[in-house]
Amino acid sequence: MKFIWIRHAQTIWNTQHKTQGRTDTPLDETGLMQAEHLAERLKNSGLNAIYSSPLQRALQTAQPLAKATGVPTTPDERLTEIDFGEWEGLRFDEIAALFPETFEHWRVRPFTAEIPGAERPKEVLARMRDFFEHISAASDDTVAIVSHTLPLKLMIAHLIGLPYDRIHSLRLDNTGTTETEVRSDGMITLVHSNNTSHLLEGMLTWQTLR
C-alpha cells in the first residue's frame, strides 16, 4: 500500500511568514497554479483515494487532483493543522521576540514544547496515527493525503523512525510530496521525500514555512 503525503499549496500567509494553524486561509494565485501542476504530475499515479484536511488551503490543493483522477476527496478533521494558540497569525520573528523561552524550546525540542493556548504536538501525532491506522485497514492501494506541515512531519517521522524532536530536519515545501510504502511484510519504506518536480517544470516558487 502506498501513501502520498502532500503539503498544501501556497497561501498569502506563507509569503508573509505567518503561522496559519487553524486560520482558514485560501490559496493565493501561485498556490492555485501549484495545485494544478501537482494534479498534472499525479494524475496517472493510480490513486484509489484522496483524503484532505478540511481547511480550505488543503481542500483547494486536493480539488484539481480529484478532478484529474476522478477520485473524490474525503475531508478528515484528523488531518488539520495544529492549533497554534497565542502564536496563531504571528511571524516567527515576532514569536521569537514575544515568547523567547518557548520559541527556543520549540526550535530545539519541538515535541515537548508547550505553546500558550495551543494543541500539543503529541496530540497532533495521536490523531495522525489514528488516521493512518484507520486507512491502513482499508483495501485502497494508493492513497493521497493533503495536510499541513506539522501533522505531516510528525507522521513521516513516526513512519520512518525519526526522533520527534528532529522534525525540523524534514523539509516540506508547498505541494511537496513524500511517498511511503507499506510492504507485504509490514516494513515501511520511504520512497521519496519532498518531491517538487512539478513546480520546477512550471517554473513556480515554493515556500518552506507553514
Side-chain angles (χ1 to χ4, degrees):
M1 189 172 183
K2 295 180 181 179
F3 298 86
I4 302 174
W5 307 91
I6 305 168
R7 185 189 169 202
H8 66 80
Q10 180 178 289
T11 73
I12 189 65
W13 277 27
N14 287 140
T15 65
Q16 296 171 346
H17 311 302
K18 292 182 177 181
T19 56
Q20 294 180 99
R22 299 291 176 82
T23 303
D24 202 8
T25 48
L27 299 184
D28 63 13
E29 184 176 347
T30 295
L32 292 171
M33 289 190 292
Q34 289 174 339
E36 293 289 346
H37 283 279
L38 172 72
E40 179 64 23
R41 194 190 111 212
L42 296 181
K43 68 180 181 181
N44 296 318
S45 56
L47 291 181
N48 302 100
I50 302 172
Y51 296 90
S52 173
S53 157
L55 294 176
Q56 62 177 323
R57 59 187 183 271
L59 287 173
Q60 287 181 309
T61 303
Q63 286 168 355
L65 183 58
K67 182 178 179 180
T69 60
V71 177
T73 300
T74 301
D76 195 303
E77 290 283 348
R78 292 170 291 188
L79 298 175
T80 196
E81 180 62 290
I82 185 175
D83 181 340
F84 266 115
E86 292 184 25
W87 288 12
E88 193 104 350
L90 298 177
R91 300 190 312 271
F92 281 101
D93 61 337
E94 293 175 323
I95 294 170
L98 293 169
F99 305 89
E101 292 184 6
T102 307
F103 181 74
E104 181 62 14
H105 192 149
W106 169 260
R107 194 181 68 81
V108 298
R109 298 189 306 279
F111 193 63
T112 55
E114 295 190 9
I115 301 166
E119 184 181 15
R120 295 183 178 183
K122 67 179 182 180
E123 296 171 329
V124 178
L125 177 60
R127 55 180 166 84
M128 288 297 290
R129 290 183 63 179
D130 183 67
F131 167 80
F132 181 75
E133 291 167 7
H134 172 75
I135 62 172
S136 295
S139 59
D140 300 313
D141 296 323
T142 303
V143 177
I145 304 102
V146 184
S147 186
H148 309 265
T149 304
L150 190 67
L152 290 174
K153 285 187 174 184
L154 286 169
M155 193 65 223
I156 293 165
H158 172 72
L159 293 174
I160 67 175
L162 183 72
Y164 299 132
D165 277 333
R166 293 292 308 279
I167 59 171
H168 293 326
S169 298
L170 296 171
R171 175 167 171 158
L172 296 180
D173 294 313
N174 292 118
T175 66
T177 67
T178 298
E179 183 177 326
T180 58
E181 183 174 4
V182 181
R183 302 189 328 202
S184 58
D185 61 1
M187 178 70 71
I188 297 175
T189 58
L190 179 65
V191 179
H192 69 247
S193 178
N194 196 38
N195 186 338
T196 56
S197 58
H198 53 283
L199 301 185
L200 298 176
E201 292 169 2
M203 299 299 289
L204 296 171
T205 59
W206 57 92
Q207 297 287 325
T208 61
L209 298 177
R210 62 183 63 81

